[in-house]
Amino acid sequence: MARPKVTVVGAGNVGATTAQYIVERELADVVLTDVVDGLPQGKALDLLQAGPVHGYDCRITGANDYEPTAGSDLIVITAGLARKPGMSRDDLLMMNAEIVGGVVAETTRRSPTAILIIVTNPLDAMAQLAFRRSGFPKQRVIGMAGVLDSARFRTFIAQELDVSVENVTAFVLGGHGDSMVPLPRYSTVAGIPITELLSKERLDALVKRTANGGAEIVALLKTGSAYYAPAASVVEMVEAILKDKKKVLPCTAYLEGEYGLKGLFVGVPVKLGRRGIEEIVQITLAPDEAAALGRSAAAVRELTDKLGI
Ligand code: TXD
């Protein structure tokens, strides 16, 4: 049986690490692309040469054009710019919209049945842009944010209680970043709600650290942002899709009335399988949680309005 084919656009930190984790798990052959001459080719060749040591046979190729991406089952888009001194958030929005719009047009034309996973920030707006530009059904356009945000929350809960991360599940809804909505009452340690195990003060502190999780790492790294946990999160989604696992994960999805939101990409629990988003899982929210999700959606709407999408 032929291995699935995954294109990863952007051979920077998140893109290259995503390619690495995909081949290490032998999930798919990978085509890595970037605008920088030699970068995707060099990283692809290097990764290929780790194959004999790690014991994987997946093919990894690098390219600056899109021809080699044709017929991909899955396309992960990490291409984009980070904010530079003097640049506003709006500048970044406009520049990344230009990049992501172009990448979506080039890749989806050559892989019309692929599933898109969007990673580039501002995440929710870029997912919406990819949905509009591709013309793909909503099931096949997915944003990655919730898996990462909940992985961060799980890490901090496990540290706090000195238990295995494997015991901890956590749920985070809403937009990526400041406006995310962690749901402590749906977060558990071996099935026990964490609200039973942690005081309100400690829980609030962990929630705050989670919402600030990206900025904490940027402040330490100084020259870039997080990429190991983001790439691991992308690959959990890739695996759920390619293996048709029907795994329920928090992902950024296009809502048409679910959670009282319409015509917008927001983070919600979804079931991921070979057809992409196979279901949006609806849970009842408490009034304060619903209000927080509404505020988060309004922040996303502000950006999509600016892009006119
Ligand atoms: O939770 C999440 N969704 C995120 C999002 C978690 C981590 C990172 N997040 C965002 O992903 C981040 O804010 C950026 O917008 C992207 C990529 O982050 P990364 O850390 O990988 O950035 P790099 O290392 O700068 O890599 C970006 C690459 C770089 O090699 C550029 O040359 C390339 O993108 N690039 C392009 N590739 C292809 N085509 C075009 N047009 C292009 N423009 C830039």
Side-chain angles (χ1 to χ4, degrees), residues 9-15 34-36 39 66 78-81 96 99 103 119-121 123 144-145 148 176 225-226 230:
V9 184
N13 282 335
V14 178
D34 202 288
V35 281
V36 178
L39 181 73
Y66 289 95
T78 76
L81 300 176
N96 280 353
I99 291 171
V103 168
V119 182
T120 308
N121 272 325
L123 189 271
M144 187 292 287
L148 172 62
H176 185 41
S225 54

Side-chain angles (χ1 to χ4, degrees), residues 53-286:
V53 183
H54 274 296
Y56 55 75
D57 292 297
C58 294
R59 276 178 298 160
I60 315 135
T61 45
N64 297 120
D65 66 325
Y66 289 95
E67 282 319 312
T69 71
S72 292
D73 298 285
L74 232 158
I75 298 163
V76 180
I77 299 182
T78 76
L81 300 176
R83 224 162 109 173
K84 304 222 166 61
M87 259 172 79
S88 74
R89 204 154 166 260
D90 276 4
D91 291 338
L92 185 65
L93 173 75
M94 293 304 171
M95 290 168 91
N96 280 353
E98 181 96 19
I99 291 171
V100 170
V103 168
V104 167
E106 293 289 348
T107 51
T108 56
R109 186 154 72 79
R110 293 174 175 85
S111 302
T113 60
I115 291 170
L116 291 177
I117 297 180
I118 311 301
V119 182
T120 308
N121 272 325
L123 189 271
D124 311 84
M126 291 304 112
Q128 181 122 341
L129 178 79
F131 174 59
R132 301 279 187 232
R133 286 292 159 81
S134 63
F136 277 12
K138 61 180 182 179
Q139 291 81 1
R140 291 201 275 121
V141 183
I142 316 165
M144 187 292 287
V147 176
L148 172 62
D149 289 332
S150 58
R152 287 178 171 151
F153 197 24
R154 289 168 68 193
T155 305
F156 300 144
I157 293 166
Q159 269 186 342
E160 179 79 14
L161 294 170
D162 193 23
V163 295
S164 166
V165 290
E166 288 186 85
N167 277 149
V168 184
T169 60
F171 242 108
V172 172
L173 301 181
H176 185 41
D178 309 345
S179 67
M180 59 168 240
V181 185
L183 294 185
R185 71 195 173 93
Y186 283 118
S187 304
T188 66
V189 174
I192 307 160
I194 53 168
T195 44
E196 304 268 316
L197 302 170
L198 286 165
S199 68
K200 168 118 182 42
E201 293 69 49
R202 284 312 301 154
L203 204 48
D204 287 349
L206 300 189
V207 164
K208 196 166 165 217
R209 190 172 177 199
T210 304
N212 205 35
E216 184 179 357
I217 289 175
V218 169
L220 291 166
L221 293 179
K222 293 174 191 75
T223 55
S225 54
Y227 54 99
Y228 293 115
S233 303
V234 170
V235 175
E236 183 174 25
M237 293 165 64
V238 169
E239 182 172 34
I241 293 167
L242 294 180
K243 291 188 176 170
D244 196 24
K245 285 178 79 81
K246 322 279 187 200
K247 199 169 194 178
V248 177
L249 293 169
C251 297
T252 304
Y254 189 66
L255 302 185
E256 288 181 303
E258 299 90 349
Y259 291 94
L261 299 168
K262 221 174 188 149
L264 200 65
F265 271 79
V266 178
V268 291
V270 305
K271 190 194 285 179
L272 285 189
R274 195 59 193 85
R275 287 175 291 135
I277 295 178
E278 301 195 349
E279 188 187 331
I280 290 175
V281 181
Q282 298 227 50
I283 52 175
T284 311
L285 299 181

